[in-house]
Amino acid sequence: MKHVKKWLLFIIALSLVLIAPAVGKRHQVEWDNRTYEMIMPYDEIEAWLQQDSEHVWKNLKEAGLTTVSVEAETLESLGKSGRVLLIEMSEFKRMLIFANENVAHLPSRGLVVYPLDETFPLVSSLEATFGDDVQATQANGKTYYIIEGNTKKIERVPLGYDEMKIAHLIEQGLMVVLRIPDARDMNEASVRVLQQIEALKNEHTFKLLPTGEEVAGYPTDVTKWGERWKEAGYVLLSTEFYEAKGLTTLAKAMDVHVVRLHSLNLEQRKPNEAVDVAIRAIKERNIRALFIRPYASADTEQNMEKTITVMKQIVQHMPSHYTLGKSEPFAPIERSSIATIGFVIGATAFVFLAVRSLVSPMMASLAAGGALILGMAGTVLAIDLALKALALLVAIITPIYAAKPSSVQEGWRGTFMAYGRAIAISFVGISWIVTMLYGNEYMAYVGEGFRGVKLVYVVPLVAMVVLVLPWIIREPLLPFMKRLWKHPITVGHVVLSLIIFALLAYYVLRSGNTGTASALELAARQKLEEWLYVRPRTKEFLLGFPAYLLALFVINKQKQLGAILLVVGTIGWLSMINTFTHLHIPLFISFVRTMYSLGLGLFIGIALIYAYKWVWKKVIR
């Protein structure tokens, strides 16, 4: 077996050499893309422009505004901006009675539209959008336009983009983002609005941002419009933590020419918190567009001043290697055939060694065969799900293999060597994970990304409990389980089970992006981030790695204590693996965060060992 193990280690080493250029390429693409932009919606700053529009634009641009988003006009938006008067049918009929006017053939329900200015081509847009449902009516010497149907739906149908508004924004030196209408608000004639998007493309108007719950064209024509917009030269903005139906299809039809966007509602956050959130989004999650929703609860002047103050602070506190300007999608990256061969053979050899070390040669052969099949299916047959399954398999096995030492020499030297072994194993597994899930769709978080985060938090921990339980109970596992099965259940057992379940649920729920933390912990995290650029994970440097070092130090003398500490220490390694499965986080950030965790965990672990030695000498003995 030693001869076989040497060959497998050689294969793993060769694999790492073959995949190194792919890992380096991804880092370079992420590092080269460091320009971000700040966007504000036109409709939310429109009220500010009623005072001194030139002064408002000047202040916003000085604060960092680069781009303004514009939605297709609707009767609802035209009514809010005072360009049309909207009258419901019942109200219009009452008006006619009071004016002693008689209009024949009025529909029972509908919307009456009266133009108030000519800045938007209203009549032609109504006729093109609603066709024969539009009826021009004279009353009291004025022309009204009656549209039969459901009032709420009529108000929301997109009529087209205001080209005069867009031209004015460009004259101000701003870029323009066109917001794609929600498919639910569109009718058959709305295709002209999507065609208008193609015609509006220029060097200042080249980004699209979906609005609502369904992308225009959903469900049947999303790919068609994506290909046409890609051909026109558009880039798609994808909003973090939100995905409209059809967005993934649209992004892929546009060859993943995607820029990640974070929507920041200033009303929902304290100013300092808003600044921190914005900077962290750019720095840590490949966000390259900030969508600033301004303050709206006070008077116009206060709203504007508070918004501008926060924007200036974002720019001022942004790390110097990020530049405000015109954001771009990541340069295309594709995994080479050499890297593909490298990670398939390497991951297969790694899975075999890991499972053989943890379980048995038979299980190792089965696991390695499964890994090879998944790798071939993902690469030869281009089955994306197979690659994700293989990445999940490696992500689950790696922290178990790293955390479960085969043997540990007594003393400091043995402890440090075992700690180094675990680090090496972890980074080997990480290298294959980031190579298996490789491409722009992962960096831009298009589609599902890596879906096994919760499993990686739970399965290695449960597996480690099973592996070390014989050391704790001091007997083989099977006889213990048989005896436990026949043992009567008491109230104490139920209470203990509920406590364990609650702790496990809390551990899982607070992991990932949706996890919660106390105010004290949040404050500590913020300080760490200020001092270290990126904060290490608390569960790694403060819990997992120190516990693991102490476990290595005591495992030969106190096997039960060492086994319990190994379970706790596994948290550090599975968290480390999980850091790199968040594929939209730059490799540089994940690496720096992990090195901080390993270094701080080492120092805290050493201190914990000295504390243990003192307690052992002064108290226990």
Side-chain angles (χ1 to χ4, degrees):
M1 180 59 202
K2 287 185 178 180
H3 184 69
V4 174
K5 185 176 181 180
K6 286 181 180 179
W7 276 107
L8 291 175
L9 290 174
F10 173 76
I11 290 172
I12 290 172
L14 177 63
S15 168
L16 295 176
V17 171
L18 294 177
I19 68 174
V23 177
K25 176 67 174 176
R26 177 183 155 183
H27 165 68
Q28 193 61 50
V29 166
E30 289 173 335
W31 187 254
D32 289 344
N33 189 317
R34 286 174 287 154
T35 301
Y36 70 99
E37 65 183 308
M38 284 208 280
I39 306 169
M40 288 183 69
Y42 185 89
D43 60 317
E44 293 192 34
I45 58 175
E46 191 170 20
W48 302 358
L49 303 174
Q50 304 303 316
Q51 302 174 4
D52 183 351
S53 63
E54 293 300 319
H55 178 70
V56 171
W57 289 127
K58 178 177 180 294
N59 287 341
L60 286 172
K61 287 187 289 184
E62 288 177 353
L65 183 68
T66 59
T67 312
V68 175
S69 71
V70 174
E71 296 192 34
E73 299 292 351
T74 62
L75 287 173
E76 183 179 49
S77 68
L78 292 172
K80 287 181 179 179
S81 61
R83 286 180 284 178
V84 301
L85 180 65
L86 302 179
I87 311 167
E88 291 198 14
M89 184 56 62
S90 58
E91 184 181 350
F92 184 64
K93 289 178 179 179
R94 285 195 295 270
M95 287 173 52
L96 294 177
I97 293 172
F98 287 127
N100 200 25
E101 291 278 350
N102 184 26
V103 178
H105 308 299
L106 287 177
S108 60
R109 64 172 189 162
L111 189 67
V112 180
V113 183
Y114 178 69
L116 296 176
D117 69 22
E118 297 180 357
T119 57
F120 182 78
L122 178 67
V123 177
S124 60
S125 297
L126 290 178
E127 292 174 346
T129 303
F130 297 103
D132 294 338
D133 289 336
V134 179
Q135 173 188 344
T137 299
Q138 296 290 326
N140 199 24
K142 296 180 175 64
T143 302
Y144 297 87
Y145 297 89
I146 299 173
I147 308 169
E148 185 176 1
N150 183 294
T151 302
K152 295 299 182 184
K153 289 184 177 180
I154 292 170
E155 287 182 344
R156 297 182 62 83
V157 175
L159 304 175
Y161 295 93
D162 188 337
E163 298 189 18
M164 289 181 61
K165 181 193 295 182
I166 293 171
H168 178 68
L169 291 171
I170 294 173
E171 288 174 6
Q172 293 293 330
L174 294 163
M175 293 177 285
V176 176
V177 166
L178 300 180
R179 301 212 61 176
I180 306 173
D182 189 331
R184 297 172 305 164
D185 296 329
M186 300 173 68
N187 61 18
E188 292 182 3
S190 297
V191 66
R192 54 182 287 276
V193 179
L194 307 185
Q195 293 169 341
Q196 188 185 14
I197 290 175
E198 289 182 277
L200 288 172
K201 165 67 177 66
N202 58 49
E203 61 179 331
H204 304 284
T205 307
F206 62 94
K207 287 192 177 81
L208 303 177
L209 177 60
T211 184
E213 296 183 13
E214 295 180 1
V215 170
Y218 183 84
T220 57
D221 294 333
V222 176
T223 299
K224 178 186 76 174
W225 287 109
E227 290 173 349
R228 290 178 64 165
W229 292 331
K230 177 194 70 175
E231 188 66 26
Y234 276 105
V235 171
L236 183 66
L237 289 166
S238 174
T239 304
E240 186 180 35
F241 307 132
Y242 178 78
E243 182 172 335
K245 294 178 181 177
L247 181 65
T248 299
T249 303
L250 179 62
K252 291 182 177 179
M254 297 178 70
D255 285 347
V256 199
H257 290 169
V258 173
V259 171
R260 298 193 75 217
L261 175 145
H262 181 82
S263 181
L264 186 63
N265 190 331
L266 299 186
E267 284 286 1
Q268 296 177 354
R269 298 185 182 276
K270 297 176 181 178
N272 290 343
E273 182 188 3
V275 174
D276 293 336
V277 166
I279 293 173
R280 195 176 298 117
I282 298 294
K283 187 175 65 176
E284 297 187 16
R285 301 196 300 277
N286 280 335
I287 299 293
R288 293 297 177 264
L290 294 172
F291 193 82
I292 308 294
R293 292 195 174 277
Y295 289 100
S297 59
D299 61 66
T300 300
E301 191 68 29
Q302 284 182 315
N303 290 335
M304 186 167 63
E305 288 180 4
K306 289 166 63 179
T307 301
I308 287 174
T309 299
V310 172
M311 292 171 67
K312 286 182 176 179
Q313 289 178 349
I314 290 173
V315 176
Q316 179 183 349
H317 291 93
M318 191 69 68
S320 58
H321 51 275
Y322 289 97
T323 306
L324 184 67
K326 176 182 172 182
S327 67
E328 297 284 356
F330 289 109
I333 61 169
E334 292 182 5
R335 186 178 53 242
S336 67
S337 57
I338 292 177
T340 300
I341 294 171
F343 83 72
V344 170
I345 62 171
T348 302
F350 179 80
V351 167
F352 180 85
L353 283 177
V355 177
R356 189 185 188 283
S357 171
L358 296 168
V359 188
S360 68
M362 181 180 295
M363 290 298 296
S365 299
L366 291 173
L372 182 61
I373 291 171
L374 289 173
M376 297 300 292
T379 54
V380 177
L381 303 179
I383 301 174
D384 186 57
L385 184 61
L387 284 183
K388 290 180 179 178
L390 181 55
L392 178 60
L393 177 63
V394 173
I396 288 174
I397 287 176
T398 300
I400 309 171
Y401 188 24
K404 177 75 165 47
S406 54
S407 64
V408 182
Q409 296 179 19
E410 286 193 27
W412 290 103
R413 185 173 183 272
T415 299
F416 293 148
M417 286 181 64
Y419 189 57
R421 167 194 172 273
I423 293 171
I425 289 173
S426 297
F427 274 115
V428 168
I430 286 165
S431 299
W432 288 317
I433 292 168
V434 300
T435 309
M436 277 184 274
L437 305 178
Y438 191 83
N440 292 73
E441 64 269 30
Y442 294 107
M443 290 192 298
Y445 208 94
V446 171
E448 295 183 347
F450 182 77
R451 304 298 290 178
V453 171
K454 298 298 183 184
L455 284 176
V456 179
Y457 270 113
V458 174
V459 175
L461 205 57
V462 174
M464 183 57 71
V465 170
V466 173
L467 289 170
V468 303
L469 191 58
W471 298 354
I472 299 173
I473 61 178
R474 295 181 178 180
E475 66 175 291
L477 188 59
L478 191 57
F480 172 77
M481 294 301 294
K482 287 181 178 179
R483 183 161 48 84
L484 185 65
W485 183 260
K486 296 178 181 178
H487 197 281
I489 298 175
T490 66
V491 174
H493 293 144
V494 174
V495 172
L496 181 62
S497 299
L498 289 174
I499 291 172
I500 293 173
F501 178 79
L503 290 173
L504 183 62
Y506 175 74
Y507 163 75
V508 173
L509 288 173
R510 62 162 282 135
S511 64
N513 290 326
T514 59
T516 58
S518 66
L520 180 62
E521 185 177 351
L522 290 173
R525 288 179 178 185
Q526 184 58 39
K527 282 299 178 185
L528 282 172
E529 192 164 335
E530 291 174 6
W531 296 335
L532 303 176
Y533 182 78
V534 57
R535 70 169 180 86
R537 297 201 182 282
T538 309
K539 65 173 70 72
E540 294 174 18
F541 81 89
L542 207 55
L543 177 65
F545 296 146
Y548 186 71
L549 281 158
L550 182 57
L552 297 174
F553 192 82
V554 306
I555 193 76
N556 290 310
K557 293 181 179 179
Q558 292 180 280
K559 205 163 190 177
Q560 282 182 309
L561 175 61
I564 294 170
L565 289 169
L566 279 180
V567 174
V568 180
T570 305
I571 294 173
W573 302 112
L574 64 85
S575 176
M576 176 177 167
I577 300 302
N578 248 313
T579 295
F580 287 87
T581 61
H582 291 79
L583 302 162
H584 57 287
I585 295 177
L587 278 179
F588 168 74
I589 291 293
S590 296
F591 180 76
V592 171
R593 169 175 281 139
T594 298
M595 295 309 294
Y596 277 140
S597 291
L598 290 168
L600 290 172
L602 175 62
F603 285 116
I604 295 173
I606 291 171
L608 194 60
I609 290 171
Y610 275 113
Y612 163 80
K613 290 174 70 177
W614 184 87
V615 171
W616 177 261
K617 182 178 180 181
K618 299 290 185 180
V619 180
I620 300 176
R621 295 184 64 180

